[in-house]
Amino acid sequence: MRLGIMGGTFDPIHYGHLYVAENARLQFQLDQTLFVPNRIPAHKKTYAVSSAEHRFAMTRLAIADNPCFQPSRVELDRPGPSYAVETLRLLRQTYPDAELFFITGLDAVIEIATWRRHEEVLQLCAFIAAPRPGLSPKTLQERLPAYALQRVRLLEGHHLAISSTDIRDSVRRGLSIRYLTPDPVVEYIRQNRLYLSDTG
Ligand code: ATP
Ligand code: MG
């Protein structure tokens, strides 16, 4: 089995994430993709991150109509800071025969050499790097050593200039977020009054 892992804060999940995951599924013949909301330790918060349960609920709603996508609580249910290496070790145990593909935006991939135990991370999974506006794929060559580069594949497709930061900002300013994320997520945000103030 070829298993995709799409990690993120997902605050909220949006069509950028969904488009990238679907494209990766097709381009790399993934059988299943897990959407893994990250646990954010209090000291790492740079803004008022929504509760894990809100982020998980929105993720589940957003992917409900795709049978190849599954939400995963592997990071939310684990105490302590969630390092990718630990998540990957756990997934390796749960799916011993799977080939693991970590799907990330280019902005995240160029940081992998700074990740905790990144040599082990690179053994456990390959990376699928999605284009993001403003970052050229050439940055990969500049920022990553050869041993990391050989584990990174580039995803083809459109550059979608959607970010969770912009969505939170739009809600705060009373602008529409419809068509940036699936309708059930828009409705969830409205009903739970998320992102209305700076403090979450
Ligand atoms: P924030 O603005 O809060 O940082 P985000 O939109 O970057 O949110 P994250 O949850 O941080 O979303 O992203 C999870 C993963 O999805 C990261 O690897 C990120 O690079 C990737 N990603 C997010 N948005 C896009 C997009 N529009 N195109 C490609 N990749 C994306
Ligand atoms: Mg981000």
Side-chain angles (χ1 to χ4, degrees):
M1 179 176 74
R2 292 163 72 84
L3 182 71
I5 302 155
M6 179 88 204
T9 312
F10 300 142
D11 195 15
I13 190 164
H14 54 68
Y15 278 129
H17 302 125
L18 296 168
Y19 171 77
V20 157
E22 178 63 4
N23 233 3
R25 182 181 79 73
L26 282 168
Q27 202 179 314
F28 296 94
Q29 297 93 42
L30 306 179
D31 300 292
Q32 282 285 315
T33 293
L34 301 178
F35 279 68
V36 185
N38 302 146
R39 227 174 70 88
I40 314 289
H43 67 271
K44 270 203 165 174
K45 289 180 183 172
T46 53
Y47 71 98
V49 186
S50 304
S51 77
E53 293 317 315
H54 280 322
R55 295 184 290 111
F56 185 79
M58 292 188 283
T59 301
R60 193 171 47 193
L61 287 170
I63 65 181
D65 64 356
N66 191 324
C68 296
F69 292 172
Q70 302 291 330
S72 165
R73 299 189 59 95
V74 62
E75 294 206 350
L76 297 184
D77 289 346
R78 199 167 75 234
S82 41
Y83 292 108
V85 66
E86 282 159 22
T87 302
L88 288 162
R89 281 181 192 151
L90 280 171
L91 293 176
R92 160 66 54 244
Q93 281 169 20
T94 315
Y95 303 92
D97 301 322
E99 209 177 325
L100 305 182
F101 295 85
F102 206 108
I103 307 165
T104 53
L106 259 182
D107 59 318
V109 150
I110 56 177
E111 303 289 338
I112 47 182
T114 68
W115 288 11
R116 186 187 172 102
R117 297 195 57 95
H118 62 272
E119 289 97 343
E120 185 180 344
V121 168
L122 288 159
Q123 275 165 14
L124 284 164
C125 69
F127 280 81
I128 299 174
R132 278 200 100 163
L135 265 181
S136 150
K138 278 196 220 116
T139 340
L140 278 180
Q141 273 82 33
E142 289 159 18
R143 295 282 289 272
L144 289 186
Y147 68 87
L149 267 181
Q150 66 180 15
R151 292 289 272 162
V152 178
R153 329 273 157 87
L154 274 177
L155 187 68
E156 287 163 30
H158 293 275
H159 297 210
L160 292 192
I162 305 176
S163 72
S164 305
T165 303
D166 289 346
I167 292 181
R168 293 191 299 272
D169 193 51
S170 293
V171 174
R172 206 167 291 132
R173 294 165 55 200
L175 302 176
S176 176
I177 59 165
R178 196 173 175 198
Y179 309 123
L180 298 177
T181 184
D183 285 344
V185 177
V186 176
E187 187 54 19
Y188 186 95
I189 291 170
R190 198 184 61 77
Q191 278 182 2
N192 290 278
R193 306 182 55 77
L194 301 183
Y195 313 128
L196 290 176
S197 70
D198 269 340
T199 52

